Amino acid sequence: MKAEECNAIVIGAMDYREADRIVTLFTLEHGKVRGLARGARKSRRRFGASLELFARLRASLQLRDGLCALQDADLVTVYPGIRRDLPRIALAGYTCELVDQFLPDGMPNPRLFRLLTTLLEHLDQAEACSSARRFFEVNLLNILGYRPPIDACPGCGADLAATGGLLAGGGLHAIPCPACGSGGRTLSPATVHLLRTSLRTGRFGVVRFPADLLAEAGELLDRAIASHLHRPIKSLAFLREMDRPV
């Protein structure tokens, strides 16, 4: 079977048997695939650092149902700026795990690939912060068709960027304005505006959430993400420990 060359990011990895490694790759061409790298643990000459989490590489894969065969991998970058800083490592690892959990196998998503690549490039040059995390999350949800309902009140049609909304208990199928809803956490007009702005620009570092608005956006996005996942994010505890609020 002929091997195919793919642009890939390592979003997961685990040791397998005595000498092998199983890697989860998010590829531009084929979406998420899982590959077996034979002998990767015994000799670093063949794969080197290319199988480390969030490394960017050119992978040679024999594609098949289930576990693919990873024939070769040419490292593009390990993002050294990220690996020198624990908060950056925490955020990069969290976003990779998030992508891994959300994506089904074998479904290409070039927009999400660009979003993850852009985040890693940003973190390679700049400090990790909570605003970058929330920027990534709202764009991920939007790309995958899970955009939070932050446009209009379902009751009266009012623009939530003018009125704000209420995050009541339960799901997030709709966010009413204060006149149509009662109880729940307030989502201020300023927070709605920043979330919408995050969806209009592809540049990390442009949108900054002040601490009070960050808490509002965080509750909305945490709820939205949790409602679509079937198991907890393992890296979330480490991210919360390392999280920088600015």
Side-chain angles (χ1 to χ4, degrees):
M1 183 182 297
K2 184 179 179 181
E4 294 195 32
E5 297 291 324
C6 305
N7 295 286
I9 299 168
V10 180
I11 59 173
M14 60 179 290
D15 293 337
Y16 181 68
R17 294 180 177 171
E18 292 185 2
D20 306 332
R21 196 160 171 80
I22 294 176
V23 292
T24 304
L25 302 176
F26 181 22
T27 71
L28 176 62
E29 297 84 359
H30 302 286
K32 187 175 76 173
V33 298
R34 302 185 192 277
L36 176 63
R38 294 194 180 277
R41 296 172 60 198
K42 277 195 171 181
S43 173
R44 292 183 62 86
R45 183 178 302 174
R46 184 176 174 193
F47 293 106
S50 61
L51 303 187
E52 299 296 328
L53 186 62
F54 59 80
R56 178 83 181 270
L57 52 101
R58 285 284 296 171
S60 179
L61 288 166
Q62 284 188 347
L63 297 171
R64 58 183 71 150
D65 292 336
L67 200 60
C68 302
L70 181 59
Q71 301 290 344
D72 199 4
D74 292 327
L75 183 65
V76 176
T77 180
V78 293
Y79 298 105
I82 298 177
R83 296 180 193 276
R84 290 193 292 264
D85 183 68
L86 283 177
R88 297 188 209 187
I89 291 172
L91 182 53
Y94 166 77
T95 53
C96 286
E97 186 179 357
L98 205 58
V99 169
D100 188 9
Q101 285 216 33
F102 266 101
L103 274 184
D105 291 346
M107 185 176 293
N109 194 319
R111 287 180 66 198
L112 185 54
F113 187 88
R114 287 194 296 271
L115 177 67
L116 181 57
T117 301
T118 302
L119 171 67
L120 295 175
E121 291 171 349
H122 172 74
L123 290 178
D124 199 37
Q125 303 295 326
E127 287 189 350
C129 67
S130 298
S131 289
R133 170 190 171 184
R134 300 310 185 181
F135 184 97
F136 179 88
E137 290 170 340
V138 71
N139 276 280
L140 174 139
L141 291 168
N142 182 58
I143 289 170
L144 294 176
Y146 302 134
R147 173 180 171 141
I150 54 174
D151 294 317
C153 171
C156 65
D159 184 355
L160 294 181
T163 64
L166 296 173
L167 299 178
L172 285 174
H173 301 296
I175 299 175
C177 72
C180 294
S182 61
R185 174 69 178 267
T186 298
L187 190 69
S188 68
T191 301
V192 173
H193 172 73
L194 287 175
L195 288 168
R196 288 191 194 172
T197 303
S198 297
L199 295 172
R200 291 195 297 267
T201 176
R203 294 177 58 197
F204 283 89
V206 173
V207 179
R208 291 278 180 168
F209 290 82
D212 56 337
L213 306 187
L214 191 62
E216 293 180 5
E219 181 164 344
L220 169 66
L221 294 169
D222 287 346
R223 282 202 211 176
I225 289 168
S227 70
H228 295 293
L229 295 182
H230 302 294
R231 63 181 189 273
I233 300 288
K234 294 179 180 178
S235 57
L236 190 53
F238 181 44
L239 176 66
R240 286 171 174 163
E241 184 179 346
M242 294 290 113
D243 209 7
R244 289 171 177 155
V246 295

